[in-house]
C-alpha cells in the first residue's frame, strides 16, 4: 500500500487551504498513493481567528471540495476540519464551540472522527472552543482496517490500544503540533511509542513550521510514518513536503504475533 503524508502550511481562509489540499492530493495520486493524510486544522489554521465563524457542516465549501477530490482522484483523503458543535457559557462569555474533526473522504463518501482529547495543557484550553468527541472511528481502505486519532490524542496510549483491539492495522494522525522546548523530541517519542503500544502503523501528518511568529499550535513539521515495531520509515523536514511511503499492512499482524501485548 502506498500512502502519502502532506505536510502543508496552514492559512486562515478555507478557500486558500482547499487550493493547497487539492494541489497535494493530485500530486499524491500522481505518485501512486491511494491514501493521503493532511494535518489537523487544514480548513483553518489555529491562531488565525475564531473557528466558529468559518466552521461548516459537510455541505460546506471545504468539505465538499475534499469529497469531490476524493471522487475525482479515486483516493482516500484524511484532512482536519472544524464543524459547528454546541454553545457553552465560559464566565461572562457565550461561546459557539466547534468539533475538531478528521474528515475521511473515501471515494467521495464521508466518515468523521471528532477529536476526543482536547488540548487543555501548557496554558491552552481547547475545550473552551472545541467540544470533545466521544466515539472511536475505524474505516476500511483496500481491505485494511484504519483507525483515526488527532494530535493530542497521541498522548493517550489506551486510545491506540483500543483501536488495535478493534482491528486497526494503521492509525492516521492529523496533527497541528505546538512548538516549544522539547516538543520535537516528544513528538518523535510519542509516535513511536503509540506504534509499539498498538502494533500498528502510525501515519502522522503535521503542518509545516511557519516562517514567522504564530498565535497557536500551528505545526513544527516532521510528519512521520512509523512501522508497528517502532521503526521510523520516513520523516519529513520542517518545510512543506509530500512524504510518500510504501507499507505492508501485514507487518502489523506479524508484530502482534511476535509481541502479543494486546
Amino acid at each position: 500500500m502506498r500512502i502519502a503524508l502532506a505536510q502543508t502550511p496552514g492559512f486562515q481562509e478555507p478557500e486558500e487551504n482547499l487550493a493547497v489540499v487539492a494541489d497535494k492530493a493530485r500530486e499524491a495520486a500522481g505518485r501512486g498513493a491511494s491514501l493521503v493524510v493532511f494535518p489537523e486544522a487544514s480548513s483553518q489554521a489555529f491562531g488565525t481567528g475564531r473557528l466558529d465563524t468559518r466552521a461548516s457542516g459537510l455541505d460546506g465549501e471545504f468539505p465538499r471540495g475534499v469529497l469531490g477530490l476524493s471522487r475525482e482522484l479515486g483516493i482516500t483523503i484524511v484532512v482536519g476540519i472544524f464543524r459547528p458543535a454546541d454553545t457553552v457559557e465560559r464566565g461572562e462569555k457565550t461561546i459557539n464551540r466547534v468539533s475538531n474533526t478528521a474528515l475521511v473522504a473515501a471515494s467521495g463518501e464521508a466518515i468523521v472522527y471528532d477529536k476526543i482529547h482536547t488540548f487543555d495543557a501548557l496554558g491552552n484550553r481547547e475545550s473552551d472552543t472545541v467540544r470533545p468527541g466521544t466515539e472511536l472511528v475505524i474505516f476500511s481502505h483496500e481491505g485494511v482496517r484504519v483507525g483515526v486519532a488527532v494530535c493530542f490524542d497521541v498522548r493517550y496510549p489506551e486510545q491506540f490500544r483500543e483501536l488495535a483491539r478493534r482491528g486497526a492495522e494503521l492509525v492516521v494522525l492529523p496533527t497541528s503540533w505546538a512548538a516549544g522546548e522539547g516538543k520535537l523530541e516528544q513528538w518523535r517519542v510519542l509516535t513511536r511509542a503509540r506504534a509499539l503500544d498498538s502494533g500498528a502503523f502510525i501515519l502522522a501528518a503535521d503542518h509545516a513550521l511557519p516562517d514567522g511568529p504564530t498565535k497557536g499550535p500551528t505545526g513544527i513539521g516532521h510528519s512521520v510514518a512509523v512501522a508497528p515495531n517502532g521503526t521510523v520509515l520516513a520523516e519529513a523536514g520542517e518545510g512543506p513536503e509530500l512524504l510518500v511511503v510504501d507499507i505492508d499492512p501485514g507487518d502489523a499482524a506479524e508484530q502482534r504475533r511476535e509481541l502479543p501485548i494486546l
Side-chain angles (χ1 to χ4, degrees):
M1 179 187 295
R2 179 165 291 182
I3 59 97
L5 302 176
Q7 184 166 288
T8 55
F11 303 105
Q12 181 179 54
E13 298 301 331
E15 311 87 71
E16 188 174 8
N17 287 313
L18 181 58
V20 172
V21 169
D23 179 64
K24 290 303 177 186
R26 289 195 170 94
E27 181 182 349
R31 293 173 63 180
S34 63
L35 171 65
V36 55
V37 186
F38 286 86
E40 175 189 26
S42 280
S43 61
Q44 178 189 346
F46 288 116
T48 60
R50 287 176 50 171
L51 301 176
D52 62 318
T53 59
R54 294 177 178 82
S56 73
L58 296 181
D59 58 349
E61 181 180 353
F62 187 93
R64 284 191 294 106
V66 173
L67 290 164
L69 280 168
S70 170
R71 191 179 300 110
E72 171 195 339
L73 300 172
I75 63 174
T76 295
I77 301 171
V78 183
V79 62
I81 66 172
F82 297 107
R83 299 186 297 149
D86 61 9
T87 300
V88 297
E89 303 296 326
R90 291 289 186 266
E92 297 180 355
K93 292 183 178 180
T94 299
I95 299 175
N96 298 318
R97 294 199 300 182
V98 299
S99 293
N100 185 339
T101 298
L103 168 63
V104 180
S107 299
E109 298 298 319
I111 301 163
V112 296
Y113 164 73
D114 294 330
K115 182 180 179 182
I116 292 173
H117 299 99
T118 51
F119 185 40
D120 291 1
L122 303 175
N124 295 275
R125 285 284 303 173
E126 187 180 13
S127 63
D128 283 348
T129 55
V130 172
R131 181 179 66 184
T134 59
E135 301 293 331
L136 297 179
V137 169
I138 294 175
F139 67 94
S140 180
H141 176 74
E142 296 184 352
V144 176
R145 302 271 284 170
V146 184
V148 189
V150 171
C151 200
F152 198 57
D153 287 334
V154 78
R155 293 188 181 272
Y156 294 84
E158 59 272 21
Q159 178 171 347
F160 289 74
R161 288 173 62 80
E162 184 57 29
L163 287 169
R165 289 190 183 99
R166 297 186 187 190
E169 298 153 283
L170 324 175
V171 179
V172 292
L173 185 69
T175 302
S176 189
W177 198 251
E181 184 178 355
K183 292 300 296 293
L184 175 56
E185 184 61 24
Q186 291 174 33
W187 169 248
R188 287 169 166 161
V189 169
L190 287 164
T191 50
R192 296 182 74 183
R194 295 300 80 83
L196 288 166
D197 289 336
S198 61
F201 288 90
I202 304 298
L203 308 174
D206 191 20
H207 278 297
L209 182 70
D211 291 332
T214 64
K215 297 179 181 178
T218 49
I220 60 170
H222 295 278
S223 299
V224 65
V226 185
N229 65 2
T231 300
V232 174
L233 300 174
E235 180 179 322
E238 293 181 345
E241 187 172 344
L242 185 73
L243 205 61
V244 178
V245 184
D246 291 314
I247 64 172
D248 181 354
D251 289 349
E254 179 63 23
Q255 174 70 9
R256 293 168 187 176
R257 281 193 296 269
E258 295 291 325
L259 284 173
I261 59 174
L262 296 176

